[in-house]
């Protein structure tokens, strides 16, 4: 038998998933982490690598902050959270350098800059410090996956327009197991340089932001029509 507590937990977890992937997406809704979003998305492969690294830090930092939330006084909570995040980023940086060196060379400084990613500190402060471990872990995972999805989509769009390929260099950056991702979508394509330069990143991100606004507006209008129809029925 499903209890009221189970239903409440299910609703909360559903909201966490929806917020992370869409409603409160790190890039599309909060417009945070725009520096790595625009800088590393010249290809979908780079976007995937940065997204997964950020997701790992988000999940573990949320778990650790949730575990220590009752032990840290409000006066020192921000420095403690930053130390936790910086430690995790250092571990990710060393791990990528050891096991995915090519990807580490491409992402370079932006791995270290995960420390100052406002989305990570923001989730630690606004969610993990006030919720249990399981919910905090899910929140970190969903926020990370939502961020990763945007990086991959943005990088994919720019790569296809810029060079006619998709996930180029995946085997070199992520290992031979990922070679199946490498696709040439437009053979003998001479490329469109603007797409993979910084201005192309701004343009592509602008279209993604506009697309989300349009989808949200249409969904809200459909919900209003449905509500009106129920009232008049």
């Amino acid at each position: 038998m499903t209890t009221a507590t189970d239903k409440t937990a299910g609703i909360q977890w559903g909201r966490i998933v929806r917020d992370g992937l869409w409603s409160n997406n790190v890039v599309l809704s909060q417009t945070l982490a725009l520096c790595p979003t625009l800088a590393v998305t010249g290809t979908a492969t780079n976007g995937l690598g940065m997204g997964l690294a950020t997701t790992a830090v988000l999940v573990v930092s949320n778990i650790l902050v949730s575990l220590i939330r009752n032990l840290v006084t409000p006066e020192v909570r921000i420095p403690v959270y930053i130390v936790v995040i910086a430690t995790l980023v250092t571990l990710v940086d060393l791990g990528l350098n050891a096991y995915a060196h090519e990807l580490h060379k491409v992402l370079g400084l932006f791995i270290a800059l995960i420390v100052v990613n406002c989305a990570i500190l923001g989730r630690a402060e606004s969610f993990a410090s006030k919720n249990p471990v399981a919910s905090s872990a899910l929140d970190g995972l969903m926020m990370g996956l939502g961020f990763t999805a945007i990086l991959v989509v943005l990088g994919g769009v720019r790569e296809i327009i810029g060079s006619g390929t998709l996930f180029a260099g995946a085997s070199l950056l992520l290992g031979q197991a990922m070679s199946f991702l490498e696709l040439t979508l437009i053979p003998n394509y001479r490329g469109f340089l603007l797409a993979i330069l910084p201005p192309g990143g701004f343009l592509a991100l602008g279209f993604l932001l506009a697309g989300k606004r349009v989808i949200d507006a249409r969904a809200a209008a459909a919900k209003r029509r449905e509500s009106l129809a129920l009232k008049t029925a």
Side-chain angles (χ1 to χ4, degrees):
M1 181 180 295
T2 302
T3 65
T5 303
D6 293 335
K7 290 181 179 179
T8 302
I11 292 172
Q12 182 187 18
W13 283 39
R15 179 179 57 80
I16 292 172
V17 172
R18 184 173 60 253
D19 283 351
L21 297 180
W22 184 259
S23 302
N24 199 27
N25 185 275
V26 170
V27 176
L28 298 183
S29 296
Q30 302 182 55
T31 58
L32 297 175
L34 295 186
C35 178
T37 299
L38 296 172
V40 305
T41 53
T43 68
T45 302
N46 295 349
L48 178 60
M50 175 58 75
L52 293 178
T54 305
T55 299
V57 175
L58 263 168
V59 173
V60 181
S61 66
N62 268 18
I63 291 173
L64 293 177
V65 168
S66 180
L67 287 172
I68 65 175
R69 71 185 190 279
N70 296 323
L71 303 176
V72 179
T73 60
E75 293 79 10
V76 298
R77 69 187 190 284
I78 299 301
V80 170
Y81 298 164
I82 292 175
V83 170
V84 169
I85 294 169
T87 302
L88 295 174
V89 171
T90 301
L91 294 175
V92 169
D93 188 22
L94 293 174
L96 285 175
N97 195 13
Y99 299 107
H101 186 63
E102 294 299 323
L103 179 62
H104 184 271
K105 288 196 298 184
V106 172
L107 298 180
L109 177 64
F110 294 101
I111 300 174
L113 288 177
I114 294 176
V115 175
V116 293
N117 189 327
C118 296
I120 298 176
L121 182 59
R123 297 321 294 173
E125 169 68 11
S126 66
F127 193 94
S129 63
K130 302 168 184 161
N131 289 277
V133 174
S135 297
S136 299
L138 181 63
D139 177 77
L141 178 62
M142 291 301 108
M143 285 291 169
L145 291 180
F147 180 56
T148 302
I150 296 305
L151 292 184
V152 172
V153 170
L154 189 61
V157 169
R158 294 176 66 187
E159 183 180 356
I160 291 170
I161 297 174
S163 57
T165 61
L166 186 61
F167 288 105
S171 60
L172 293 176
L173 298 179
L174 301 174
Q176 288 298 323
M178 305 299 287
S179 60
F180 70 94
L181 292 174
E182 298 177 357
L183 300 173
T184 300
L185 301 180
I186 310 176
N188 302 318
Y189 182 52
R190 299 183 63 181
F192 184 56
L193 184 60
L194 177 64
I196 56 179
L197 292 177
F202 280 100
L203 289 171
L205 179 60
F207 281 114
L208 285 180
L209 292 171
K212 183 182 187 301
R213 301 296 186 273
V214 170
I215 293 172
D216 286 343
R218 290 182 177 179
K223 191 173 182 179
R224 286 195 297 269
R225 288 195 298 268
E226 182 180 349
S227 178
L228 182 61
L230 291 175
K231 290 180 180 179
T232 57

